[in-house]
Amino acid sequence: MSQLPSHVVIGHPIAHSKSPIIHAAFAAQFSAEPALASFEYDRLLAPLDGFATSLQQFAAQGGQGANVTVPFKEEAFALASELTPRAKAAGAVNTLQYLGGNRWLGDNTDGAGLVADILRHISIRGRRILLLGAGGAARGVILPLLEQQPHSLTIANRTLAKAEALQAHFQPTSAIAIAVSTFTELVGEFDLIINATSASLGGERLPIAPTVFAPNALAYDMMYGKEETPFLAQAREAGVAQRVDGLGMLVGQAAEAFALWTGLRPDVAPVLAQLRKMA
Ligand code: ATR
């Protein structure tokens, strides 16, 4: 096997990952930094049944850190010998740091990336949040959102029981009121509406009423793509002026991972602008 870089993003599939572009741009911001002389970042395709083996081989060849993407985030969580509190809350790991002796520290930077991107547009404190979806993507961002001291958090999902399970998990340790609903039974209006469902992947819209968007609401889709996502089209038709896709979250989670590995905090805005130009 050819020599692997110091850092990788592991997934299956992985060919379309933008992470190498993002981390190369971050590293270029610190070109005078000696600590980054050996920083290299590339994609690593792991077989669907070979995540642990791929990671072991990577460490044996001097690997220091890895981002983990679909479908290995839960496996990375199970495999990590140490976990940050936010990774524990997420139940999933998207960032690994090698500790030596085949031991890995597992972190989850997705929620921090989302929060940082939202804070570039509006404050979260005191807002009524509506989180659409109750799968892994939704669970991963709940703790960082609650830490921003919103007014309340409502989790709406097609399958109510999954929203209830998240409520039962997070409510005991949070003073913020967490409510649950199905999409069609949602009551009231919200200031920050976040789509964490994978409905957009199939081009599907969510059966939510346009009245859930408060005046001056921000609609955030964790998905992104060349075209407007179905959820952001829905928000636009409901009259929502502030609509943001998940490209900034992608760059934000990468910035958090880069900071964990290198101790250096990159500037997100120019890298996001670079990606938008490439899209
Ligand atoms: P991820 O890791 O992306 O969160 P997941 O754990 O499979 O993936 O969760 C997918 C989420 O999208 C769930 O909330 C799912 O709803 P259910 O819990 O009812 O399955 C939601 N979802 C997927 N397709 C959807 C659709 N067409 N309409 C509404 N919700 C959808």
Side-chain angles (χ1 to χ4, degrees):
M1 195 190 280
S2 61
Q3 190 63 41
L4 289 167
S6 61
H7 294 79
V8 290
V9 55
I10 309 183
H12 188 119
I14 202 64
H16 294 97
S17 170
K18 296 184 197 300
S19 292
I21 301 168
I22 296 169
H23 284 279
F26 288 162
Q29 292 179 8
F30 302 99
S31 51
E33 192 66 48
L36 283 187
S38 60
F39 183 89
E40 284 176 83
Y41 188 108
D42 208 348
R43 302 176 182 89
L44 179 58
L45 177 72
L48 285 175
D49 61 352
F51 174 70
T53 309
S54 297
L55 201 60
Q56 226 169 1
Q57 287 170 352
F58 172 55
Q61 295 195 32
Q64 293 166 28
N67 282 134
V68 181
T69 187
V70 178
F72 299 128
K73 289 185 186 184
E74 280 81 16
E75 217 177 321
F77 175 85
L79 182 147
S81 31
E82 285 180 36
L83 291 164
T84 62
R86 61 192 184 183
K88 269 186 206 155
V93 157
N94 80 329
T95 303
L96 288 164
Q97 184 168 27
Y98 194 49
L99 300 171
N102 210 25
R103 299 173 72 254
W104 294 89
L105 168 69
D107 193 7
N108 193 311
T109 67
D110 285 331
L114 170 73
V115 164
D117 198 36
I118 292 170
L119 291 178
R120 283 152 32 86
H121 299 90
I122 59 163
S123 72
I124 299 175
R125 177 179 283 270
R127 308 277 179 164
R128 298 160 294 181
I129 303 179
L130 172 59
L131 181 62
L132 304 166
R139 178 172 170 174
V141 301
I142 291 176
L143 183 66
L145 284 171
L146 292 173
E147 284 174 351
Q148 292 296 313
Q149 301 290 319
H151 170 271
S152 55
L153 172 68
T154 300
I155 306 170
N157 198 42
R158 184 174 59 182
T159 312
L160 185 64
K162 283 167 74 178
E164 287 171 340
L166 289 183
Q167 180 190 40
H169 184 82
F170 287 97
Q171 188 67 92
T173 52
S174 179
I176 311 297
I178 304 175
V180 295
S181 177
T182 60
F183 295 126
T184 49
E185 285 160 329
L186 273 168
V187 176
E189 58 177 34
F190 302 88
D191 310 299
L192 172 58
I193 301 91
I194 302 168
N195 178 30
T197 73
S198 47
S200 290
L201 284 179
E204 280 185 61
R205 291 189 171 209
L206 297 172
I208 51 171
T211 47
V212 302
F213 299 98
N216 298 318
L218 180 116
Y220 195 102
D221 199 338
M222 285 168 62
M223 297 275 162
Y224 60 87
K226 283 197 180 85
E227 308 295 327
E228 180 183 50
T229 67
F231 171 68
L232 291 183
Q234 227 173 323
R236 176 173 47 73
E237 287 165 20
V240 178
Q242 299 190 86
R243 305 181 305 275
V244 184
D245 73 11
L247 196 61
M249 176 181 175
L250 177 75
V251 182
Q253 64 76 28
E256 289 283 329
F258 188 88
L260 175 80
W261 294 326
T262 65
L264 301 167
R265 191 154 281 280
D267 190 358
V268 163
V271 181
L272 182 54
Q274 179 187 337
L275 288 182
R276 292 249 182 250
K277 259 193 269 170
M278 292 167 64

